[in-house]
Amino acid sequence: MPDIEFRVLGPVEILCEGRPLGPTTPQQRSVLGMLLLDLGHVVPTGRLVSALWSADPPDSARSSIRVYVTRLRKLLAPDPAVRLVTVGEGWRLECDPDRVDLHRFRTLVRHAHSGPAEAAGGRLRQALSLWRGPALADTSDNALTSALVVGLEDERLAAVEDRIARDLDSRTSVSVVPELSVLTVEHPLRERLTQLLMSALHLSGRTAEALAVYHQMRRRLVDELGIEPSATLQTEHQRLLAAPGEELRIPPAEPLPRQLPGDIAAFAGRKHHLARLDSLLSDAERDARMLVAAVAGIPGSGKTALAVHWAHQIKDRFPDGQLYMNLRGFEPSGEAVSPDDAVLRLLDALGVPAAKVPADPDARSALYRSLLADRRLLIVLDNARNEAQVVPLLPGSNRCAVIVTGRTELTGLAARSGAHLLTLDVFGPDEARDLLSGRLGAPRTLREPDAVAQIIHRCAGLPLSLTMVAARAAARPGFALAAIAAEIESSEVVLDAFESPDASIDLRTVFSWSYLQLSPEAARQFRLLGLHRGPDIARDAIASLTGTTASAAARWLRELSRMRLVTEHTPDRFELHDLLAAYAAELAEAVDTPAERRTARHRLLDHYLHSVRAAAHRSAPHRSAIPVGAPVAGAVVRAPANAEEATAWLADERHVLTAAVADAYEHRFDRHVWQIAQYLATHLRREGLGADWLATQRLARSAAERLGDARAEATACYGLAAAQIRYGDPAEAERNLKESLHRFRDLGDLDWQGNTYSMLSVKSEADDDYAAALAYAIEGLELYRRAGNAPGQARALNNIGHCRARLGDYVLALRDCNTSLEMFGDLDDPVGTGNTLDSLGFIHYRCGDYDLAIDCYKRSVESLLESGERYLAAVTLQRLGDAYLAADDLTAAVDAWKRALRMFEELRHPLAARTKARLTALPWRRR
C-alpha cells in the first residue's frame, strides 16, 4: 500500500513513493499548507478563506474551498492512513506527523536541544537539510500566509543559529565567519546572529572588527526601532572590550619621598573605578583644586590594592613625591593611629629633623601644611577608621591629591572637604577570571574553565579570597585547578577554606576587626542576619528576625552599614556578602543558643508567610484560601494597601521568598514551606518564573508528606501539578492532580475539587486533547455550583467555551464565554475578565471576524495589565498583532508586537527573542 508524504518547507507538495502528486494550483496548495500546519486540528473555513484572499473574498469563496478540499481528498485516497475529515464548518487532516517535513524538522530540533550535546550539531544539520527554499513557497501571497511564512522562517533561523553556536563551541570560528557575514546582511536586526558573528570574529583574532559589528548593530536598532541592544548583546560587547591584549601604562618616575607600597603586578578589574579616579584627577587639575577621593568597601574588597595601583599609575604627575600612611583603623589591637602621631610620621617622611618638629600638635599641623603649600604631592591614607583621623592630614595646597581608603563610608569627609566617594563591590565573573589568569597565567586557567568557575563561585567574588586561592594554586604549579577547587569545596565550614597563618589575610580575622567594634545590639543583629537565606532582606524582615521595633532595627542597621558589614543597596533593603553571611552564621552558632536561633527563624518565616498571604489576597482576591494560623509574637506583617503595592512587594521579595521556602524546608518548618509556596505561586506564574515555581512546589509536596497532613498534601499535589503542566512533566502532573482530587474528595472540599478538575482541563488543553479538557471543565463547573463558588463557575465557563472553540463549536463557545464575561463583570475580577476576553478574541479570529477579535484582544490586554498579568497580556498582544495583520492593518500589528516585545524583555522571557525576530522580518522585508 503506497505511503504518502508531505512537504511545506519549500514548495507545497504531496509525494507518493517519491513521486509528486500535486496539488497543481496555488489555491489548492494554500489549503493543503494550512491543513498541514495545523495537522490534527480543525481548520475553520474562515481561516482558509483568509489564506486565499487577503481582503474582499468573492461570494463563492466558501464553495471554492469545498471544491479544493474535495480535490485534495482524491489525491490522498491511495493511502488510507491519511484522512481529511469534515468537522462542523472546517476540516482536519490526520496522519503520522513524521510524514510532514515541518514536523520532522521540529522533532529533530527538539531532540537536538534535549539530547546529548555531541549529537546536537548533527541533528540540527539533518533538520536544516529538510528545507528546500522558503516555506509555503508557491501558495497564495497575502497577509495571513506572509505571517505564517515569517514564523516558519524564524524557526529555521533559530535552528541555524543553534547549529552555528555548536560550531563555535567546537572552535570552528573561521569556517562560520563567511556564513554569518551573509546572514547578518540578510537579517540586519537579528541580534543573535550579530552576537555569533562577534564571537566568531573574536575567536579568529579579529576583535576590532567584532566591536565594529556591534556598533553598527546598535545604530541600526536605535535608528529603526528606537530600542537599545538586548542585555545579551551588550554583555558580549563588554566581554570583548575586556578581552586580554591591552597593556598597562606604568609611567617611569623616581620622585622623593616615594613611600608607596609595591604595585600589584597582576592587578585585575576595577576598570570603572580607575577611569572614575582618572576623570576626577583631570577635573581637579583643570580647576586648580585639590582632589580628595575616599574609597570604601566591605572587608577584603581590595580597597588598598586599588588605591596603591592607581597611585602608581599617576605618580609621574606628582614630581614632589608620594606619601603613604596606614592609619590602622581596623586592626587586631583596635588601636588606630592618632592624627598627632600621623602628622609626626609624615613630617619625618618630608625630611624635617626631629629637633625642628614643634612640640605643640597644632604647630606641627601648621608646619605640615606649610611644607606642602607649594608642592605637588600624592598622599595615600590607607585603612582610615573615620573622618576625625583624616581631616588633620589633608594638605592646604590645591596642587596635591589625596586618596583615602576605609571600611566606613566617609560621608563627613565629603561634606567638609568635598571628597568624592567611591564604593567597591565584589568582583563580577569576568573580573574574577582576570585576577586568576593574571596570577596563574592564562594557559592554566583556560585549560580548566569549569574549575575556575567553581573557584569563583566558592570565593563569591571577594578579591581577598580569590587572591588567597590564587596564591595557594601558584605555590602548587603541578596541581590541577580542579584539585584546588575540590579542596576548597570539601571544607565542611565555608570560611575554613580561607584560613591563613597571616592575620592580615585570614578572612575570619579580617572580618572580626569590624565585628569587634560593634555595639552589643548591632553585634546581635549581625549574627542573626547570618540565619537569613536570600540575596537581600528588608528592614521589617530584620525587625521580625531580631524581635525588635522597626526603628530600633534601623538604628543598628545604620551602625552595620557604617562598618560595611551590610550594604543598603536600595532604600530599606540590605544585603550581606556571602562570606560575611557565613561569618555571621558562625558567630550565631557560637554565641546564640539553638532555642534563640530557632525562635528568630520562626519570627522571620512568619513575617514572610503572613506578608505573602496579605499580598496574594490583594493581587488575586478571588483565589481559593488555605488556612493559616496567627503570627508569633515579634513577627512584623507587611500588609499592602492595594493590588499595585502588593505586586511591587512580591516582585521585590520574590528571590527572598523562594529562598525562605528552601530554608524552612531545611530547618523543618514544614507548615511554612507549603503555605508560602502556595501563596507565592500566582506571582511566579504571572511573571513566567517556571524554575522557581517548580522548585518551591516540589519542596511544598515533600514538606506536606513529612507533615502527614491530608489538606497540606492535597494542596501541595495540586500546586506542583499546576507548575508541571506549563514547565515540567505533564504525565506526572496528571498523577498529582488525581491524587489531589482523591484527597479533596476524602476531605469533602467541593471548592478545591472544582479547582482540581479545572486544572485537569488545563492539562488536557496543553496535550491538545480538547474533548477531555471539555469534560473536565464541565465537571468542575458542577462542583463549583454545588460549592456556591461564583468565581470558580465563571472560570469554568470560560474554560468550557475555549475548549468548544478549539473543537470547532463556535456557537456554544460564544454562549459560554459571554456568560463567563458577565459573571466576571459582577465579581469585579479583571484577571477573569481578561482571560475570557482573550478566549472571545480567539473565537472571533477563528471565525474570520477580525474587527471583533481586535476589540476583544484590546480589552483583554487592558484588563490583564490592570491586575499585573504582564505575561498573559504580552501573549494576548501577540494575538492582537496577528488579528491586525489578518485585517491588513500592518502599522497596528507592528505596534502590538512591539508592546509585547517590551513586556517579554522586562520579564526576561524567552519569547522576547522570537518576537523581536518577527519584528525584524515583518513587514518591511516582505513589502
Side-chain angles (χ1 to χ4, degrees):
M1 197 172 292
D3 288 338
I4 283 179
E5 295 182 357
F6 302 91
R7 293 179 176 179
V8 295
L9 302 180
V12 177
E13 293 180 329
I14 302 174
L15 299 179
C16 182
E17 303 293 338
R19 293 180 297 102
L21 294 181
T24 57
T25 68
Q27 293 84 357
Q28 280 184 280
R29 288 191 289 268
S30 294
V31 171
L32 176 60
M34 298 301 292
L35 292 167
L36 289 170
L37 292 183
D38 270 353
L39 188 68
H41 299 283
V42 177
V43 180
T45 304
R47 187 170 175 82
L48 293 175
V49 170
S50 298
L52 270 67
W53 296 278
S54 293
D56 298 322
D59 294 337
S60 60
R62 291 178 180 269
S63 298
S64 298
I65 295 291
R66 285 193 287 272
V67 171
Y68 299 143
V69 170
T70 300
R71 291 175 180 171
L72 285 174
R73 279 202 177 105
K74 290 179 180 178
L75 290 175
L76 303 177
D79 191 344
V82 180
R83 299 175 64 235
L84 183 49
V85 183
T86 302
V87 183
E89 289 295 317
W91 292 272
R92 180 175 64 237
L93 182 60
E94 298 175 348
C95 72
D96 184 350
D98 277 344
R99 294 185 179 215
V100 184
D101 57 359
L102 170 62
H103 299 294
R104 289 204 305 279
F105 167 81
R106 287 171 172 169
T107 299
L108 286 165
V109 171
R110 186 166 60 251
H111 288 168
H113 291 158
S114 60
E118 59 272 14
R123 284 177 172 157
L124 289 168
R125 287 184 174 83
Q126 186 181 353
L128 291 165
S129 70
L130 297 173
W131 286 75
R132 296 165 294 111
L136 306 175
D138 53 356
T139 59
S140 302
D141 187 13
N142 58 40
L144 177 58
T145 307
S146 298
L148 293 169
V149 170
V150 168
L152 294 171
E153 176 65 7
D154 176 54
E155 291 186 53
R156 185 188 73 83
L157 284 172
V160 171
E161 290 166 344
D162 289 341
R163 191 264 303 161
I164 292 174
R166 298 287 179 179
D167 291 344
L168 288 176
D169 288 342
S170 304
R171 287 297 191 265
T172 57
S173 56
V174 175
S175 64
V176 299
V177 167
E179 179 184 6
L180 281 166
S181 298
V182 174
L183 285 169
T184 53
V185 171
E186 293 176 341
H187 307 280
L189 297 177
R190 196 171 177 96
E191 291 187 72
R192 193 180 182 204
L193 287 174
T194 299
Q195 179 196 353
L196 291 168
L197 178 57
M198 291 169 63
S199 298
L201 288 168
H202 173 63
L203 289 172
S204 302
R206 299 158 66 182
T207 305
E209 293 176 59
L211 294 172
V213 166
Y214 171 84
H215 288 295
Q216 291 169 3
M217 179 60 157
R218 182 182 180 277
R219 283 195 300 271
R220 195 176 297 123
L221 287 171
V222 171
D223 292 343
E224 296 189 25
L225 295 179
I227 58 176
E228 288 289 337
S230 64
T232 302
L233 196 57
Q234 292 184 47
T235 300
E236 179 69 5
H237 177 235
Q238 293 300 318
R239 183 180 74 84
L240 298 189
L241 285 175
E246 297 180 13
E247 295 182 1
L248 294 177
R249 181 179 62 85
I250 304 178
E254 298 292 334
L256 291 174
R258 51 179 188 270
Q259 290 191 318
L260 291 179
D263 193 9
I264 299 172
F267 184 86
R270 306 303 185 199
K271 289 184 178 180
H272 171 75
H273 294 87
L274 291 169
R276 172 69 174 151
L277 288 167
D278 285 341
S279 175
L280 291 173
L281 180 58
S282 296
D283 290 346
E285 289 174 335
R286 184 192 65 228
D287 299 337
R289 56 181 170 78
M290 179 178 64
L291 169 67
V292 180
V295 180
I298 67 171
S301 58
K303 301 176 291 294
T304 298
L306 171 68
V308 171
H309 179 68
W310 183 67
H312 275 282
Q313 284 192 309
I314 49 95
K315 63 185 180 183
D316 63 329
R317 292 159 75 169
F318 297 90
D320 294 317
Q322 310 95 38
L323 297 172
Y324 173 85
M325 173 67 63
N326 183 354
L327 297 175
R328 303 189 181 280
F330 298 89
E331 294 286 333
S333 64
E335 296 181 3
V337 176
S338 69
D340 288 345
D341 286 346
V343 170
L344 279 173
R345 298 180 193 182
L346 291 171
L347 288 173
D348 180 62
L350 290 168
V352 178
K356 294 187 176 181
V357 174
D360 180 65
D362 290 339
R364 287 200 297 265
S365 295
L367 175 61
Y368 167 71
R369 288 192 296 274
S370 298
L371 290 172
L372 299 183
D374 297 319
R375 299 191 185 186
R376 184 162 176 76
L377 276 94
L378 175 63
I379 303 167
V380 179
L381 302 175
D382 193 19
N383 201 12
R385 177 180 291 183
N386 50 40
E387 293 88 344
Q389 260 189 311
V390 174
V391 171
L393 308 181
L394 298 179
S397 169
N398 58 8
R399 304 178 64 200
C400 295
V402 182
I403 183 166
V404 186
T405 74
R407 297 187 184 184
T408 60
E409 195 170 56
L410 303 175
T411 53
L413 196 62
R416 293 184 56 181
S417 305
H420 298 274
L421 306 181
L422 290 81
T423 301
L424 298 190
D425 201 348
V426 297
F427 274 172
D430 291 342
E431 290 180 308
R433 274 190 290 272
D434 288 346
L435 186 151
L436 293 173
S437 295
R439 290 172 180 266
L440 302 176
R444 189 175 180 187
T445 55
L446 289 173
R447 278 196 303 271
E448 298 185 72
D450 291 342
V452 169
Q454 188 177 357
I455 290 169
I456 291 170
H457 173 73
R458 189 66 167 175
C459 293
L462 191 68
L464 177 57
S465 56
L466 287 163
T467 301
M468 293 173 65
V469 174
R472 192 179 308 175
R476 306 171 184 176
F479 279 42
L481 292 182
I484 303 292
E487 180 183 322
I488 300 171
E489 201 68 41
S490 66
S491 301
E492 292 185 10
V493 180
V494 173
L495 295 180
D496 286 352
F498 307 106
E499 287 183 330
S500 171
D502 182 352
S504 66
I505 60 171
D506 178 81
L507 279 192
R508 284 191 182 91
T509 305
V510 171
F511 292 164
S512 72
W513 297 339
S514 295
Y515 172 75
L516 293 173
Q517 296 187 40
L518 297 173
S519 67
E521 295 83 3
R524 175 178 177 269
Q525 186 176 77
F526 176 70
R527 295 195 305 271
L528 292 181
L529 282 171
L531 305 181
H532 173 67
R533 183 169 167 177
D536 63 357
I537 184 168
R539 186 174 63 175
D540 49 8
I542 296 173
S544 299
L545 179 66
T546 55
T548 58
T549 63
S551 59
R555 184 167 60 254
W556 299 327
L557 280 166
R558 285 194 292 271
E559 185 176 346
L560 293 177
S561 296
R562 283 197 301 271
M563 301 300 294
R564 308 302 299 178
L565 292 173
V566 301
T567 302
E568 187 175 12
H569 66 96
T570 59
D572 280 342
R573 297 197 69 84
F574 301 83
E575 61 186 4
L576 279 77
H577 182 270
D578 289 355
L579 296 177
L580 274 170
Y583 177 63
E586 281 189 9
L587 290 172
E589 186 83 18
V591 177
D592 303 300
T593 67
E596 288 171 332
R597 295 197 302 273
R598 186 164 183 85
T599 299
R601 184 172 271 113
H602 193 166
R603 286 192 302 264
L604 180 63
L605 290 173
D606 261 17
H607 159 76
Y608 287 129
L609 170 58
H610 289 273
S611 297
V612 74
R613 176 175 178 266
H617 281 312
R618 283 290 188 189
S619 63
H622 297 289
R623 61 171 290 142
S624 298
I626 56 175
V628 175
V632 296
V636 178
V637 178
R638 177 69 176 268
N642 50 51
E644 291 76 14
E645 188 178 320
T647 300
W649 184 86
L650 287 164
D652 289 342
E653 297 287 352
R654 188 258 299 180
H655 290 293
V656 178
L657 290 166
T658 54
V661 171
D663 186 61
Y665 183 81
E666 180 182 337
H667 293 91
R668 304 187 74 88
F669 286 87
D670 292 328
R671 179 176 61 85
H672 292 82
V673 176
W674 77 267
Q675 291 178 349
I676 293 174
Q678 298 316 315
Y679 278 117
L680 182 59
T682 298
H683 177 74
L684 298 179
R685 176 190 59 75
R686 285 178 175 177
E687 297 294 304
L689 300 166
D692 286 346
W693 192 10
L694 277 171
T696 52
Q697 292 300 325
R698 287 195 175 107
L699 289 176
R701 170 71 186 274
S702 182
E705 290 175 347
R706 207 157 59 181
L707 273 174
D709 180 283
R711 179 168 294 278
E713 290 184 79
T715 310
C717 283
Y718 170 89
L720 177 56
Q724 288 171 328
I725 288 169
R726 185 177 291 181
Y727 296 103
D729 181 349
E732 186 183 348
E734 185 169 5
R735 289 193 294 272
N736 281 326
L737 284 171
K738 289 182 176 177
E739 181 179 343
S740 174
L741 185 61
H742 172 74
R743 293 183 181 278
F744 281 128
R745 280 173 178 162
D746 289 345
L747 291 166
D749 192 323
L750 297 175
D751 185 23
W752 275 94
Q753 287 180 62
N755 290 344
T756 309
Y757 270 112
S758 293
M759 195 56 65
L760 281 165
S761 176
V762 172
K763 189 266 173 191
S764 297
E765 283 196 46
D767 294 339
D768 292 337
D769 188 352
Y770 294 104
L774 178 60
Y776 283 132
I778 291 171
E779 188 70 28
L781 176 62
E782 178 59 28
L783 285 160
Y784 284 134
R785 282 173 174 162
R786 290 167 58 193
N789 183 339
Q793 293 174 54
R795 288 195 300 272
L797 281 167
N798 179 40
N799 291 344
I800 291 168
H802 186 260
C803 292
R804 283 182 168 148
R806 288 287 188 175
L807 293 169
D809 190 349
Y810 300 118
V811 174
L812 289 180
L814 282 171
R815 182 201 67 186
D816 293 330
C817 287
N818 280 322
T819 303
S820 171
L821 189 63
E822 290 176 9
M823 294 182 69
F824 279 128
D826 294 338
L827 292 166
D828 189 24
D829 183 346
V831 177
T833 298
N835 285 330
T836 307
L837 284 167
D838 179 76
S839 297
L840 286 166
F842 172 78
I843 295 167
H844 293 308
Y845 178 79
R846 281 297 183 95
C847 292
D849 297 327
Y850 300 127
D851 288 341
L852 285 174
I854 288 167
D855 180 65
C856 288
Y857 283 142
K858 287 169 67 177
R859 290 161 59 199
S860 172
V861 170
E862 182 179 350
S863 190
L864 290 170
L865 289 178
E866 178 187 339
S867 53
E869 291 278 4
R870 289 190 296 160
Y871 168 75
L872 293 177
V875 171
T876 301
L877 279 167
Q878 285 188 315
R879 295 174 183 152
L880 175 60
D882 295 341
Y884 273 127
L885 187 63
D888 256 356
D889 190 342
L890 208 53
T891 301
V894 171
D895 287 343
W897 289 328
K898 280 187 176 181
R899 287 183 65 195
L901 172 62
R902 286 194 294 271
M903 289 185 193
F904 285 135
E905 286 183 333
E906 288 169 2
L907 294 170
R908 299 186 178 182
H909 196 279
L911 284 175
R914 180 169 296 180
T915 308
K916 181 177 285 188
R918 189 174 193 184
L919 277 168
T920 62
L922 183 83
W924 41 84
R925 292 191 62 78
R926 289 187 60 84
R927 288 179 71 87

